């Protein structure tokens, strides 16, 4: 119990960007365990409250299928439709694309209760996965830039950067969007954690914080470029 | 409380002593968060109320008709493609279908009553505004602090954020934004005033002089605009090259 309370207290102080919290985590006997406890608690709390928020949002959202049918019924009464629908092939193709568009909107914009419930497990797992992946890459960059902390200490302080995820608990209120708040706050915490744990200067700590994201961005950009080249070849070939 | 209000008001007239008083208060970062949240929520209170009333009230065909007609009138005036008489006639005929469609869509019920849905939607937008303001404060603050460091200044993260949060106070003028004519003007004055307070707070907390503080505050905005332009340019060039 003490360990849980201690981890939560560290998380709160880390959220307020107090250097001492990161120092205490770095010097703790078991920073990885402490960090993992914090992430699991935050993840479960966020998952549970987000589930409540999702259910509320579902209960306050009109049925999308009913909207789709209503729009289509009126579309077919519009003057342009009367002319275009003389061509039966056009009407069929239009109906196909119309259904496809609504299917995408439905997949992206609405959430089933089952998907929302899965979040209770998937959110903590996702946080742990991101923590381990980012922690490992940031550790490598920090050491490359002259950092002194070991992997356990790095993961410990970076677990504190998960503390801003607790703000996602606000999504218990439906329709609340946090935008980039959690990401920006998390980056600041990660910067402070790497700077403190590795005894880095401000600009080296900044690079150690951002390089994992830059690397991910470069990889994604390369994949996107490759994808667009393949698309271009296909378009030209067709 | 009166003392706190006094300190906050004096920061508006750029009184250096007030900035010092604010800086010496405990939990400066937490105070900064509270300040930004409270100011944003108060400033958008009228918008929240209007939004709430609009969402709770049932939609009437006359209102929908008027709103769509206003939007179409703008298009007829400014969009060259809509100035063709044939186009105008077709759009006016379409309007006769769109109005009942919008009214019928607005009558499709969610499982909870419209009053509850409307309240949650309006409250959600209202709270999201505060979250957005906090996110902007943290993101832009990081860029400013980076520039400050490049210019030879420096400050601890939580102190810096606590100090520059004072920029939010003139934003209270946005409370009057929904008022016709004068509202947007007051909000604009609040924005400019906020930038001036940001520069002063940056100068006080980082030790930079006025000119360097101004550069530190404005340079990230210029850099972001330039970066956005470059990204769009690179994207367009890439599309031109491959297609």
């Amino acid at each position: 119990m003490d360990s849980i309370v201690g981890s939560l207290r560290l998380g709160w102080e880390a959220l307020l960007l107090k250097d001492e919290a990161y120092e205490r985590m770095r010097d703790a006997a078991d920073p990885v365990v402490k960090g993992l406890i914090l992430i699991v608690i935050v993840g479960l709390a966020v998952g549970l409250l987000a589930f409540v928020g999702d259910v509320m949002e579902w209960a306050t959202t009109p049925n999308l299928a009913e909207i789709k049918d209503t729009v289509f019924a009126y579309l077919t009464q519009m003057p342009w439709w009367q002319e275009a629908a003389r061509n039966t092939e056009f009407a069929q193709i239009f109906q196909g694309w119309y259904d496809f568009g609504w299917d995408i909107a439905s997949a992206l914009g609405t959430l089933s209760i089952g998907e929302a419930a899965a979040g209770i497990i998937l959110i903590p797992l996702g946080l742990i996965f991101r923590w381990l992946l980012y922690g490992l890459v940031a550790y490598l960059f920090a050491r490359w830039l002259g950092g002194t902390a070991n992997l356990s200490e790095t993961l410990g302080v970076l677990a504190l950067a998960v503390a801003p995820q607790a703000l996602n608990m606000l999504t218990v209120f439906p329709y609340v969007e946090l935008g980039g708040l959690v990401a920006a706050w998390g980056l600041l915490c990660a910067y402070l954690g790497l700077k403190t744990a590795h005894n880095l200067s401000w600009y080296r700590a900044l690079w150690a914080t951002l390089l994992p994201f830059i690397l991910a961005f470069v990889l994604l950009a390369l994949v996107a470029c490759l994808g667009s080249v393949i698309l271009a070849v296909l378009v030209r070939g067709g | 409380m009166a003392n706190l209000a006094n300190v906050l008001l004096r920061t508006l007239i750029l009184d250096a002593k007030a900035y010092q008083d604010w800086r010496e208060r405990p939990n400066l970062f937490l105070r900064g968060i509270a300040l930004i949240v409270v100011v944003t929520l108060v400033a958008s209170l009228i918008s929240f109320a209007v939004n709430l009333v609009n969402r709770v009230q049932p939609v009437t065909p006359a209102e929908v008709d008027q709103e769509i007609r206003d939007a179409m009138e703008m298009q007829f005036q400014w969009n060259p493609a809509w100035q063709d008489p044939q186009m105008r006639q077709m759009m006016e005929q379409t309007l006769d279908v769109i109005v009942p469609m919008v009214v019928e869509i607005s009558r499709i019920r969610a499982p909870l009553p419209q009053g509850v849905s409307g309240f949650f939607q309006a409250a959600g937008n209202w709270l999201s505004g505060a979250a957005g303001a906090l996110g902007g404060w943290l993101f832009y603050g990081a860029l400013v602090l980076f520039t400050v460091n490049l210019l030879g200044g420096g400050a601890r993260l939580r102190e810096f954020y606590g100090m520059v949060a004072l920029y939010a106070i003139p934003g209270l003028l946005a409370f009057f934004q929904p008022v016709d004519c004068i509202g947007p003007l007051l909000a604009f004055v609040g924005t400019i005033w906020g930038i001036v307070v940001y520069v002063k707070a940056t100068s006080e907390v980082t030790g930079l002089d006025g000119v360097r503080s101004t550069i530190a505050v404005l340079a990230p905005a210029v850099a972001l605009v330039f970066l956005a332009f470059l990204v769009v340019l690179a994207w367009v060039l890439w599309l031109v090259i491959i297609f």
Side-chain angles (χ1 to χ4, degrees), chain B residues 40-212:
Chain B
T40 312
L41 291 180
V42 171
S44 55
L45 204 56
I46 294 182
S47 303
F48 164 64
V50 171
N51 194 9
L52 180 63
V53 170
N54 285 341
R55 285 180 186 275
V56 170
Q57 274 180 342
V59 175
T60 63
E63 275 175 353
V64 175
D65 189 82
Q66 191 54 49
E67 272 179 37
I68 297 176
R69 268 186 204 288
D70 288 347
M72 279 174 69
E73 206 50 51
M74 287 280 283
Q75 294 288 336
F76 289 138
Q77 256 184 331
W78 303 107
N79 189 343
W82 285 47
Q83 281 161 4
D84 175 43
Q86 234 181 336
M87 177 76 172
R88 189 177 182 122
Q89 193 193 358
M90 196 177 86
M91 291 314 294
E92 276 169 358
Q93 284 171 344
T94 306
L95 186 69
D96 297 336
V97 183
I98 290 178
V99 173
M101 180 179 83
V102 173
V103 173
E104 194 167 325
I105 288 172
S106 75
R107 286 183 184 150
I108 296 173
R109 291 276 74 92
L112 285 176
Q114 189 185 357
V116 179
S117 304
F119 170 76
F120 277 130
Q121 283 169 2
N125 286 345
W126 191 43
L127 294 174
S128 299
L134 274 181
W137 167 63
L138 290 175
F139 174 71
Y140 199 76
L143 297 180
V144 173
L145 192 54
F146 172 74
T147 319
V148 162
N149 276 296
L150 289 180
L151 292 170
R156 298 179 83 170
L157 269 179
R158 61 177 193 269
E159 265 188 41
F160 174 79
Y161 278 115
M163 283 294 279
V164 299
L166 292 168
Y167 91 95
I169 305 172
L172 275 172
L173 286 174
F175 180 80
F176 302 102
Q177 195 160 16
V179 179
D180 279 342
C181 296
I182 193 84
L185 187 67
L186 283 174
F188 180 69
V189 170
T191 305
I192 301 296
W193 201 341
I195 293 170
V196 174
V197 172
Y198 203 120
V199 170
K200 177 70 179 170
T202 303
S203 173
E204 289 294 330
V205 72
T206 63
L208 290 180
D209 59 34
V211 175
R212 285 178 187 224

Side-chain angles (χ1 to χ4, degrees), chain A residues 15-19 56 59-62 71 74 78-79 174-178 181 185 188 202 206 228 232 236, chain B residues 29-30 33 93 97 101 104-105 108 110-112 117 120-121 124 128 134-135 146 149 156 158 161 238 242-243:
Chain A
L15 194 64
L16 298 181
L17 307 179
K18 291 186 175 172
D19 305 326
M56 296 291 285
T60 53
T61 307
V71 172
Y74 279 96
M78 288 182 183
Y175 305 104
V176 168
E177 301 285 343
L178 296 178
L181 172 62
W185 209 325
L188 287 173
W202 73 268
L206 184 68
S228 58
R236 280 180 183 166
Chain B
F29 184 66
L30 197 56
I33 294 169
Q93 284 171 344
V97 183
M101 180 179 83
E104 194 167 325
I105 288 172
I108 296 173
L112 285 176
S117 304
F120 277 130
Q121 283 169 2
S128 299
L134 274 181
F146 172 74
N149 276 296
R156 298 179 83 170
R158 61 177 193 269
Y161 278 115
W238 175 248
I242 63 166
F243 288 106

